[in-house]
Amino acid sequence: MGTVGKAISLLELFTVDQSELGLSDLARRSGFDKATTRRLLVALTARGFIEQDATTRHYRLGAGLSRLARIREARFPFLQTAVPLVRDLATTTAETVHLSEFGIDRLVTIHVEHPARANRVNVDIGQLLPMHSTASGIAYLAFARDETVKACLAGPLDVFTAHTLTEPDAISRSMSEARERGYSISDQGLEEGVISVAAAILAADGFALGTIAVAAPKSRTTAADIAQRGLAVVAAAREISMRLNGDNLQTLRRQA
Amino acid sequence: MGTVGKAISLLELFTVDQSELGLSDLARRSGFDKATTRRLLVALTARGFIEQDATTRHYRLGAGLSRLARIREARFPFLQTAVPLVRDLATTTAETVHLSEFGIDRLVTIHVEHPARANRVNVDIGQLLPMHSTASGIAYLAFARDETVKACLAGPLDVFTAHTLTEPDAISRSMSEARERGYSISDQGLEEGVISVAAAILAADGFALGTIAVAAPKSRTTAADIAQRGLAVVAAAREISMRLNGDNLQTLRRQA
DNA sequence: AAATAATGGTTCAAATAATGAACCGACATC
DNA sequence: GATGTCGGTTCATTATTTGAACCATTATTT
């Protein structure tokens, strides 16, 4: 591994739970010599990729990363790109369509289109969706990094309804099915009487970045509706992924 | 410069305007050999810090940066906390409001709200602001660590306009005034015809962490406007500091 | 349509930077 | 006061980085 790779793998030791680490700790976790670790940290600190706490002497991720990430995001306008397609999908399905982006350990709802009818599923912008019990969550996990999947299924999995899946095996099976057919289905996993389909929106690296989902009252939803919405949601997700990544989207090689 | 520094300085060549660059271009701008540049890009690509467009072969900032930036922001929810207040301030002032965070030796613009009018001050996300010649810079220095202040005023202080202050004494005086009234004023220090007010956002240790500023065309700005915006910007900065730190914000004991 | 000058990408001996065992002083247990 | 940990440093040895010269393509220019 080159020096650059080593420096980056130091950065990757930081997680939400382990957001501040000491020198010896970093050396141990990375497997690099303490002197090497320190030299890398100094180089990273000089460019603002790492900050050091003045009192504890511990290291944390720096503001330089945020700056570059924002430059990237300025060019990578997820919301702007996706909203027109969310709107189209809402028109054709006449049901609630919502768009989510992954944040830390849940999906964050960043846009919603509601149909103009009284009996509908209501979703709010900013609402957080659990990963294991929503169509969006399963669709995301089906195309997420292994470590992300592991992290999301590690914690206690809340039970929301009698239909909520909490067995890791059952959840894995849902993910496999989602990978095969392209979209996930959640039958009242989060709320009684609500059935949803969702598809993952992929980043250029082939991993999921967010999801688009259609949620409807189960009472008026047939199996044919589900299949039709599934295809529509996959088409929308594909289109968003393509507009975001150009034709540069790498297909994710993945064990089924 | 070490290899890590070189790799990062490659990343820093990307801006909002220049978000995709070719190999030769990157080599030219960085001053590194083409082979070196390429080797660094390959290393960065392997870790997702850089992505390469499949067709144009051009390089751009990668998703790995966004991921790490999110981890940082999870412990440090500066943006999320501040953006609503930036937005409010933009609405009430009807002028450009920008939010900055300190990085290494300058302020980094991390969010901007522009008013819906043609004649306005334009600021880009990711833009770097010098410390001595902007309202934000002075507001930051007024509540920065002594060593930071010294470091920022040590280097050569660029002259941007006929109004740019470059005498350390004059700058110190601006800082004192900013401390007294709570906000700083920059009258065309960076660009002719632009007048700004800014206030520091404080971390839990009482030292500045970033700033919030209102920038407007001088031609339509009265002394009363400045005073009013000053109070508004101070209120916003206080509110952001409080939300970030809870009620355990230490008041900075400081020589006036 | 031929000539020219870009482009992205590769090679390998020479130059340079990275490495790590041993070391230091400071702090905390034991 | 002995022992273990911490963050940080040193310097001879070692391995990586470097860059001029080299392709093959793809625009430009004449």
Side-chain angles (χ1 to χ4, degrees):
Chain A
M1 192 193 306
T3 315
V4 175
K6 289 184 190 177
I8 296 178
S9 62
L10 271 189
L11 294 175
E12 290 179 336
L13 293 176
F14 294 90
T15 65
V16 174
D17 296 323
Q18 312 272 350
S19 65
E20 294 209 327
L21 297 168
L23 172 59
S24 300
D25 209 359
L26 283 164
R28 229 177 293 111
R29 287 165 195 256
S30 64
F32 307 146
D33 187 88
K34 199 151 54 89
T36 303
T37 306
R38 171 124 220 293
R39 201 173 34 77
L40 294 172
L41 287 169
V42 168
L44 290 165
T45 305
R47 302 325 263 283
F49 274 34
I50 286 281
E51 288 166 4
Q52 185 173 28
D53 191 290
T55 55
T56 67
R57 313 248 83 192
H58 282 200
Y59 299 89
R60 71 172 95 92
L61 295 176
L65 291 164
S66 304
R67 185 181 141 250
L68 292 178
R70 272 178 215 113
I71 290 174
R72 174 185 155 80
E73 274 152 24
R75 188 190 181 284
F76 211 80
F78 184 33
L79 239 184
Q80 255 173 272
T81 308
V83 166
L85 288 151
V86 173
R87 208 161 277 161
D88 289 351
L89 190 56
T91 307
T92 58
T93 59
E95 293 291 356
T96 300
V97 178
H98 56 111
L99 185 75
S100 317
E101 191 175 11
F102 186 70
I104 314 167
D105 64 344
R106 280 152 145 160
L107 288 165
V108 184
T109 305
I110 60 175
H111 189 79
V112 185
E113 293 285 337
H114 288 121
R117 55 206 291 186
N119 180 21
R120 68 189 194 192
V121 177
N122 223 74
V123 179
D124 290 333
I125 285 183
Q127 192 174 329
L128 296 172
L129 304 174
M131 302 308 284
H132 68 288
S133 55
T134 61
S136 293
I138 296 299
Y140 184 90
L141 290 179
F143 293 93
R145 288 187 162 71
D146 284 339
E147 66 244 45
T148 308
V149 175
K150 203 174 287 178
C152 288
L153 301 185
L157 303 175
D158 293 336
V159 176
F160 297 102
T161 73
H163 307 85
T164 306
L165 298 181
T166 55
E167 283 304 310
D169 281 354
I171 296 168
S172 283
R173 221 172 308 125
S174 296
M175 286 163 51
S176 298
E177 289 166 18
R179 262 195 295 276
E180 276 162 35
R181 70 165 104 74
Y183 60 93
S184 61
I185 303 172
S186 167
D187 188 354
Q188 314 177 74
L190 183 63
E191 204 177 311
E192 292 285 354
V194 174
I195 188 159
S196 302
V197 299
I201 296 161
L202 305 181
D205 58 9
F207 289 105
L209 170 155
T211 61
I212 181 168
V214 181
K218 178 155 191 183
S219 53
R220 64 163 172 250
T221 302
T222 65
D225 288 335
I226 290 296
Q228 191 185 323
R229 283 174 205 160
L231 295 179
V233 92
V234 166
R238 286 243 173 86
E239 183 61 27
I240 296 169
S241 301
M242 251 188 47
R243 290 195 191 174
L244 280 173
N245 303 304
D247 44 4
N248 188 30
L249 186 68
Q250 290 164 26
T251 321
L252 188 58
R253 296 137 309 172
R254 210 172 220 303
Q255 66 288 7
Chain B
M1 192 193 308
T3 315
V4 174
K6 290 185 189 175
I8 296 179
S9 62
L10 272 187
L11 294 174
E12 291 179 335
L13 294 175
F14 295 89
T15 65
V16 173
D17 297 323
Q18 311 272 349
S19 64
E20 291 210 326
L21 298 168
L23 172 60
S24 301
D25 209 358
L26 283 164
R28 228 178 296 111
R29 287 166 195 257
S30 64
F32 307 145
D33 187 87
K34 200 150 53 90
T36 302
T37 306
R38 173 129 161 73
R39 200 174 34 77
L40 294 172
L41 288 169
V42 167
L44 290 166
T45 305
R47 299 317 197 99
F49 275 33
I50 285 282
E51 288 165 5
Q52 186 174 27
D53 191 290
T55 54
T56 68
R57 313 250 81 191
H58 282 201
Y59 299 89
R60 71 170 96 94
L61 295 176
L65 291 165
S66 304
R67 203 183 115 249
L68 291 179
R70 270 203 299 266
I71 290 174
R72 174 182 155 81
E73 273 153 27
R75 184 59 65 101
F76 211 77
F78 185 31
L79 238 190
Q80 295 165 50
T81 308
V83 166
L85 289 151
V86 172
R87 210 161 275 162
D88 289 351
L89 190 56
T91 307
T92 58
T93 58
E95 293 289 357
T96 299
V97 179
H98 55 110
L99 185 75
S100 317
E101 190 175 8
F102 186 70
I104 315 168
D105 63 344
R106 281 149 143 161
L107 287 165
V108 183
T109 304
I110 62 173
H111 189 79
V112 185
E113 292 285 338
H114 287 121
R117 54 205 292 185
N119 179 21
R120 68 189 195 193
V121 177
N122 224 74
V123 179
D124 286 334
I125 285 181
Q127 193 175 326
L128 297 171
L129 304 175
M131 302 307 287
H132 69 288
S133 54
T134 61
S136 293
I138 296 298
Y140 184 90
L141 290 179
F143 293 93
R145 290 186 162 75
D146 284 338
E147 66 247 43
T148 308
V149 175
K150 202 174 286 177
C152 287
L153 302 185
L157 303 174
D158 294 336
V159 176
F160 297 102
T161 72
H163 307 84
T164 307
L165 297 182
T166 55
E167 283 305 311
D169 280 355
I171 296 168
S172 283
R173 221 172 306 126
S174 295
M175 286 163 50
S176 297
E177 288 166 19
R179 262 196 295 277
E180 276 162 35
R181 69 165 106 74
Y183 61 93
S184 61
I185 304 172
S186 167
D187 187 353
Q188 314 177 75
L190 182 62
E191 203 179 311
E192 292 284 353
V194 174
I195 188 159
S196 303
V197 299
I201 295 161
L202 305 181
D205 58 10
F207 288 104
L209 167 158
T211 62
I212 180 168
V214 180
K218 178 156 190 181
S219 52
R220 63 164 171 247
T221 302
T222 65
D225 288 334
I226 289 297
Q228 190 184 324
R229 282 173 204 160
L231 294 179
V233 93
V234 166
R238 285 242 174 84
E239 182 61 27
I240 295 168
S241 302
M242 251 187 48
R243 291 194 191 174
L244 276 175
N245 303 304
D247 45 5
N248 57 358
L249 183 69
Q250 289 163 27
T251 321
L252 189 58
R253 297 135 307 168
R254 209 171 221 302
Q255 66 289 4

